[in-house]
């Protein structure tokens, strides 16, 4: 009788446990993605309605920091999915052996470049840019060279390439344009740098508070101000050398106990339930299928005539050396 009672009690307790407690997906990403104004809250609601599960965001300062955390945690990580690294880090991430093939249909993916990665799935893309305050700068730099050699009194806030994907993007942008002359370029540019922040949020916050007239961000950033604040005060400077491209991706951890749910999330990521929230919440171009049209502001953005993008394998092989170059050049 006691055994029967124990069995019945176990069944009752199992039925009483909410589905979300039995079936939870944990996704590591960067902090701006999960903020109140970011896409995270709306995506969480949409995915939970479809999966009948719980989606838990774990926010880290920036994309590079999320990968660093995954590497530190290794096979003991609580993450099922890492979302937010870009192509500058995919080779490094794959080399850890912590990620597995996604095995999902990527028919919805649409990018300016061909996508064939079997581990990572893209969800948005954009180009890095210098955003300037048009009330403080009447003649913005028209090239990377003009930024590097311009008035040192007109300061810019940038991000640390060791912890931030935009910071790493600028590092690669300068390397792509200047090659072996990158160290000398950094030495010159450092005279215009007000400060180097750990992540994008801190840098952009300083810019909008008026602490510097320029900040490293994206060509799409002005769309936020046009749509949400009804102002075109903040603009992207178009550079004649071209702009460095960023493609953001997500991948599944081999240690995840919820791989079927993780794959369901990545498939969901390529469709409208996720993609509709990218343009006006993450303020990037969607990489998957959307419904509806983009706001008019997206038609007013800088369209780079040339997209720069180094191969992920090349970045992985040289990132440490290039960061050492940056450190040495900017701390002289």
């Amino acid at each position: 009788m006691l055994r029967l009672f124990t069995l019945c009690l176990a069944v009752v307790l199992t039925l009483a446990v909410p589905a979300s407690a039995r079936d939870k997906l944990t996704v590591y990403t960067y902090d701006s993605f999960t903020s109140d104004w970011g896409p995270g809250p709306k995506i969480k609601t949409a995915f939970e309605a479809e999966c009948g599960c719980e989606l838990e965001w774990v926010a880290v300062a920036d994309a590079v920091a999320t990968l660093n955390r995954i590497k530190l945690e290794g096979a003991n990580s609580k993450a099922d999915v890492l979302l937010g690294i870009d192509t500058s880090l995919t080779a490094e991430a794959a080399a850890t052996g912590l990620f597995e093939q996604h095995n999902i249909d990527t028919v919805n993916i649409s990018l300016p470049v061909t996508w064939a990665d079997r581990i990572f799935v893209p969800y948005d893309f954009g180009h890095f840019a210098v955003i300037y305050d048009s009330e403080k700068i009447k003649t913005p730099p028209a090239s990377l060279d003009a930024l590097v050699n311009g008035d040192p009194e007109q300061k810019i806030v940038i991000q640390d390439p060791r912890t931030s994907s935009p910071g790493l993007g600028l590092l690669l942008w300068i390397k792509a344009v200047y090659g072996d002359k990158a160290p000398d370029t950094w030495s010159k540019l450092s005279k215009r740098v007000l400060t180097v922040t750990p992540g994008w949020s801190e840098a952009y916050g300083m810019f909008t508070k008026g602490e510097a007239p320029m900040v490293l961000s994206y060509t799409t950033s002005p769309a936020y101000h046009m749509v949400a604040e009804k102002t075109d005060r903040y603009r992207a400077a178009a550079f004649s050398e071209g702009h460095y491209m960023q493609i953001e991706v997500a991948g599944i951890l081999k240690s995840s106990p919820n791989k079927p749910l993780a794959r369901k999330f990545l498939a969901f990521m390529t469709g409208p339930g996720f993609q509709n929230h990218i343009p006006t919440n993450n303020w990037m171009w969607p990489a998957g299928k959307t419904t509806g049209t983009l706001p008019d502001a997206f038609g007013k953005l800088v369209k780079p005539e040339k997209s720069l993008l180094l191969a992920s394998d090349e970045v992985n092989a040289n990132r440490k050396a290039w960061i050492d170059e940056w450190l040495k050049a900017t701390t002289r």
Side-chain angles (χ1 to χ4, degrees):
M1 179 66 71
L2 179 59
R3 293 172 63 187
L4 178 59
F5 173 77
T6 302
L7 177 61
C8 291
L9 180 61
V11 171
V12 169
L13 289 174
T14 300
L15 293 174
V17 175
S20 60
R22 300 196 309 269
D23 204 4
K24 182 170 75 171
L25 188 74
T26 300
V27 180
Y28 283 13
T29 188
Y30 47 85
D31 57 7
S32 63
F33 195 92
T34 64
S35 65
D36 291 340
W37 49 265
K42 293 179 180 178
I43 290 170
K44 173 181 169 70
T45 299
F47 183 63
E48 287 181 345
E50 181 172 305
C51 71
C53 66
E54 178 186 354
L55 172 58
E56 178 189 23
W57 299 117
V58 175
V60 185
D62 213 316
V64 178
T66 62
L67 179 58
N68 290 341
R69 177 167 173 175
I70 289 289
K71 290 166 69 175
L72 284 171
E73 294 176 347
N76 295 318
S77 178
K78 63 180 289 190
D80 298 297
V81 172
L82 172 61
L83 182 149
I85 63 170
D86 60 34
T87 49
S88 63
L89 294 171
T90 50
E92 179 181 343
T96 66
L98 297 172
F99 295 86
E100 67 170 51
Q101 293 186 18
H102 55 75
N103 294 325
I104 69 163
D105 189 347
T106 57
V107 65
N108 287 338
I109 296 301
S110 178
L111 291 168
V113 296
T114 301
W115 191 261
D117 197 306
R118 298 166 66 184
I119 295 177
F120 297 101
V121 179
Y123 63 89
D124 70 16
F125 69 96
H127 291 83
F128 295 111
V130 170
I131 304 300
Y132 67 97
D133 184 340
S134 64
E135 293 184 3
K136 296 181 178 180
I137 295 181
K138 300 304 179 183
T139 305
S143 65
L144 192 57
D145 190 66
L147 175 70
V148 170
N149 296 294
D151 183 358
E153 296 303 310
Q154 291 184 335
K155 299 295 185 180
I156 183 172
V157 181
I158 65 173
Q159 301 85 13
D160 193 322
R162 295 168 296 181
T163 55
S164 165
S165 56
L168 180 57
L170 180 59
L171 184 87
L172 302 181
W173 193 356
I174 286 177
K175 179 58 68 171
V177 172
Y178 291 97
D180 293 341
K181 296 180 180 179
D184 183 54
T185 302
W186 276 115
S187 182
K188 293 177 182 177
L189 180 59
S190 65
K191 297 178 176 63
R192 301 196 73 174
V193 175
L194 176 67
T195 191
V196 180
T197 64
W200 176 89
S201 296
E202 301 96 325
Y204 210 80
M206 291 181 68
F207 169 69
T208 55
K209 289 176 184 176
E211 296 181 38
M214 295 184 290
V215 65
L216 175 66
S217 193
Y218 299 87
T219 58
T220 45
S221 296
Y224 165 77
H225 301 287
M226 285 188 272
V227 173
E229 300 176 346
K230 312 302 180 187
T231 180
D232 64 353
R233 174 179 174 176
Y234 304 112
R235 304 172 186 175
F239 282 3
S240 58
E241 300 96 339
H243 291 247
Y244 200 86
M245 180 185 288
Q246 180 185 56
I247 302 172
E248 294 190 295
V249 304
I252 300 170
L253 276 294
K254 285 183 178 178
S255 56
S256 168
N258 301 307
K259 291 187 180 68
L261 185 58
R263 288 192 173 90
K264 185 172 184 177
F265 176 77
L266 260 61
F268 171 83
M269 189 180 75
T270 70
F274 186 108
Q275 292 291 314
N276 283 352
H277 302 297
I278 291 300
T280 56
N281 289 107
N282 216 36
W283 303 99
M284 294 282 276
W285 294 98
K289 184 178 181 181
T290 61
T291 55
T293 57
L294 293 174
D296 292 342
F298 277 77
K300 302 175 183 178
L301 300 176
V302 165
K303 303 284 195 308
E305 294 185 5
K306 183 179 181 181
S307 293
L308 305 172
L309 188 65
L310 298 176
S312 186
D313 288 341
E314 181 182 1
V315 176
N316 186 38
N318 295 284
R319 184 163 76 98
K320 185 181 183 302
W322 292 344
I323 287 176
D324 289 343
E325 277 184 357
W326 166 75
L327 281 169
K328 185 176 180 180
T330 56
T331 55
R332 290 173 181 170

